[in-house]
Amino acid sequence: MVISIDHAGLLRFLAFWVACQSGTSGIRLYSSICTFFFVLGVIVGNDPVILSGVPFLAYFTQETGIDPPTAWIFAQFIIANIASAVLVSSNPTNLVLSGAFSISFFTYTAKIIVPVISAAVFMLPLLLLIFRDPKFIPRRLTPITLSPRSVLVDPFGGIFGATILILTLCALVSTSFLHPQVYLVTVPPAVIVFLRDIVHDIRGYRTRNQESQCRTDQEKTMDDTNPRSTSAIRDSGADITHDTTADATILDYPEVESKHNQRDNKNLVTSTPAGDDRLTQGEISEKCVETQSSKLDTLRSMFPNVLIILRLMPFSLVVFSFSMFILVQGLAVTGWVDVWAGWWSQWVAHTGTVGSIFGMGLISCILCNVCHPFSLLFCSPDSQVFGTNIGATILLARILQVWIQSRDPHPRIKDGAIYALALGSNYGAFTFSFPASLAGLLWKRLLMQKEIIVTMPQFARLNFIPVAVAMGVSSAVLIGQVYIIHR
């Protein structure tokens, strides 16, 4: 659903609108964009903010002459991952925790929102302090000339998807007291939005076909009346009316890659007797390839937006998460989870509520960067020596489950550990390595496409202070909160 909204251009439109409304003050614009990314990240999650924010920031910094764009891209990544901790639907790690401990949508948000907002309030002045050099955040900026409306690909689709998304979030909150499965509330609206995209592509395909037929008939008529004028028009590259939606899609998103079968030249070169009308093996193979290619081209021209949305869907995340559940269950069967749960129990017995919150926050942030065997199979080559926050959350949630079942801790300590894990699994995305989260891998890939280079040492160095402050502030607020709730 969110991918469809992003593809329609609504998120980019909002980003450009905020930039245009902020004037020429660099600090004011920086603060406005950080606030916008936080609000947007709370609603849609970190991945859509990164998916739309990186192209926007690449254009914005190039247009205003900001070089390097380090302060802006790091602010976007840090703020998006802090904001993604607020709602259950904003991050897969939140879904893992809410499912593991049977936490309703409303209860989760109510107990996590204050620590998260506290970290976000401290983060803006901290980022302004870290990037205080005017080369990172100029005091005066040249206003951007691009109109926000020009980045809208499908205005109605964006508004329709955003309306469905807001209604879905309201439904999640209002039905949380009934403790329904999240997918029962979110899947039907997602199907509605997807069906709307299919209908939109079909209508666009018919319109493009009619325009193409009109152009063909016009060229034939002109060719019959004046062949020279037709060839002159073709040679001069006359302006031809075309579909703006298709063009915007091609400009803003990579085309869906076609996987045509390669032709075998050896099969094409065959000798046949004179007068033999039968097709040779090579000719049959060639016709099959041409038929298949024609069908794929027709499919791409009929459903351009749907295919792009499907390509952006994180289907590999399902396989990756499933493999991690298998790995953690294997560790539980062999007794390792019981051993680690015993260690955690001893730590809590000596440190109490404060130790459980700060300890779980620190462990979860670190484990987001720790390797596991399945990363070799399902992650990119850049992440083959690292883990992700999803794997760390699944493992630590299982350890906490065993600890709770065996020790029955005080509700204050139990809630503190669970929500510290929620904070650490989100904040762990901006720690030491890109593969600490799938959002980090997406962020790095988009930056490389825009020719913006961020190295791993630079990533770790610039994230060290922000993650330490964010985790420290949120943990301190969480300690006070659990003492107030569980007196």
Side-chain angles (χ1 to χ4, degrees):
M1 189 189 309
V2 175
I3 294 177
S4 177
I5 298 173
D6 174 64
H7 181 65
L10 181 62
L11 304 186
R12 284 169 294 163
F13 165 79
L14 294 175
F16 276 98
W17 183 83
V18 169
C20 292
Q21 297 298 316
S22 299
T24 59
S25 173
I27 295 179
R28 179 184 175 186
L29 180 57
Y30 190 79
S31 303
S32 300
I33 288 180
C34 287
T35 304
F36 167 73
F37 282 146
F38 179 79
V39 174
L40 189 62
V42 168
I43 299 174
V44 302
N46 53 354
D47 288 345
V49 172
I50 293 171
L51 196 62
S52 290
V54 170
F56 159 72
L57 290 177
Y59 171 83
F60 166 76
T61 53
Q62 183 179 6
E63 182 78 4
T64 55
I66 300 175
D67 187 28
T70 309
W72 305 81
I73 59 176
F74 271 86
Q76 177 225 11
F77 186 71
I78 292 171
I79 293 295
N81 283 287
I82 291 177
S84 65
V86 175
L87 298 182
V88 172
S89 57
S90 297
N91 199 320
T93 60
N94 305 340
L95 291 171
V96 171
L97 285 176
S98 63
F101 300 102
S102 301
I103 305 173
S104 67
F105 192 96
F106 179 81
T107 302
Y108 174 88
T109 301
K111 291 186 177 182
I112 201 74
I113 189 170
V114 175
V116 171
I117 291 179
S118 302
V121 170
F122 274 83
M123 193 53 57
L124 179 58
L126 177 64
L127 290 173
L128 289 173
L129 178 63
I130 294 174
F131 300 107
R132 58 187 178 275
D133 193 324
K135 73 175 182 179
F136 295 115
I137 306 176
R139 301 301 177 257
R140 305 294 296 179
L141 291 172
T142 304
I144 58 176
T145 57
L146 184 66
S147 172
R149 292 181 178 272
S150 64
V151 300
L152 281 172
V153 178
D154 181 13
F156 177 77
I159 296 174
F160 178 81
T163 304
I164 296 295
L165 177 63
I166 293 173
L167 292 176
T168 303
L169 294 177
C170 294
L172 283 171
V173 174
S174 60
T175 60
S176 61
F177 300 101
L178 303 175
H179 300 286
Q181 294 292 331
V182 176
Y183 75 90
L184 294 177
V185 182
T186 57
V187 170
V191 172
I192 292 174
V193 174
F194 185 70
L195 291 176
R196 186 266 161 195
D197 291 332
I198 293 176
V199 173
H200 173 72
D201 276 354
I202 292 176
R203 289 180 176 177
Y205 178 72
R206 292 174 179 174
T207 303
R208 291 191 296 272
N209 271 354
Q210 292 175 358
E211 292 177 353
S212 177
Q213 185 64 35
C214 291
R215 288 197 302 270
T216 302
D217 295 341
Q218 184 179 4
E219 289 179 359
K220 287 183 178 179
T221 303
M222 295 179 64
D223 187 53
D224 293 339
T225 57
N226 192 353
R228 291 186 178 180
S229 63
T230 304
S231 59
I233 291 175
R234 290 175 180 171
D235 294 339
S236 62
D239 186 19
I240 299 175
T241 303
H242 55 276
D243 183 70
T244 58
T245 301
D247 282 354
T249 301
I250 293 174
L251 288 174
D252 292 336
Y253 289 87
E255 295 182 357
V256 179
E257 295 180 358
S258 61
K259 299 182 179 179
H260 295 171
N261 295 328
Q262 299 294 328
R263 301 178 183 177
D264 191 345
N265 294 330
K266 294 182 179 179
N267 290 335
L268 293 179
V269 182
T270 55
S271 58
T272 56
D276 192 354
D277 295 334
R278 291 177 300 176
L279 294 175
T280 64
Q281 187 65 28
E283 292 172 340
I284 294 175
S285 176
E286 181 181 355
K287 288 184 177 295
C288 290
V289 170
E290 292 177 353
T291 302
Q292 183 180 6
S293 175
S294 176
K295 291 180 179 179
L296 290 174
D297 291 338
T298 302
L299 186 64
R300 284 193 296 272
S301 61
M302 183 176 293
F303 301 105
N305 298 314
V306 171
L307 291 177
I308 292 174
I309 292 171
L310 289 176
R311 187 188 178 199
L312 294 174
M313 290 285 289
F315 294 113
S316 59
L317 180 61
V318 177
V319 181
F320 176 80
S321 301
F322 185 66
S323 68
M324 277 305 306
F325 278 109
I326 295 175
L327 174 61
V328 171
Q329 186 61 30
L331 293 173
V333 171
T334 55
W336 281 106
V337 172
D338 293 332
V339 172
W340 295 329
W343 293 357
W344 175 251
S345 179
Q346 291 297 319
W347 168 263
V348 172
H350 287 83
T351 59
T353 303
V354 175
S356 68
I357 292 176
F358 277 105
M360 182 54 67
L362 177 62
I363 292 172
S364 57
C365 283
I366 293 175
L367 283 186
C368 289
N369 300 272
V370 175
C371 64
H372 53 80
F374 287 100
S375 66
L376 297 173
L377 299 177
F378 299 109
C379 292
S380 67
D382 294 332
S383 64
Q384 288 184 355
V385 294
F386 297 96
T388 67
N389 53 355
I390 298 176
T393 305
I394 295 172
L395 176 60
L396 292 174
R398 183 59 179 151
I399 292 174
L400 290 182
Q401 283 179 330
V402 174
W403 168 63
I404 293 171
Q405 293 171 2
S406 61
R407 303 293 179 177
D408 191 21
H410 191 279
R412 182 194 305 143
I413 299 177
K414 182 183 71 173
D415 274 9
I418 292 173
Y419 289 101
L421 174 56
L423 294 170
S425 63
N426 284 272
Y427 297 178
F430 55 99
T431 47
F432 310 130
S433 63
F434 300 110
S437 69
L438 298 181
L441 295 173
L442 174 64
W443 185 69
K444 180 186 178 184
R445 180 169 60 85
L446 292 174
L447 289 177
M448 292 181 65
Q449 291 176 359
K450 301 300 179 180
E451 298 181 353
I452 301 175
I453 306 301
V454 177
T455 62
M456 189 84 77
Q458 182 187 20
F459 183 81
R461 176 172 53 85
L462 292 178
N463 281 329
F464 179 75
I465 296 179
V467 72
V469 171
M471 199 67 227
V473 170
S474 293
S475 298
V477 174
L478 182 60
I479 291 172
Q481 178 176 289
V482 294
Y483 270 102
I484 293 174
I485 295 176
H486 305 286
R487 295 181 180 179

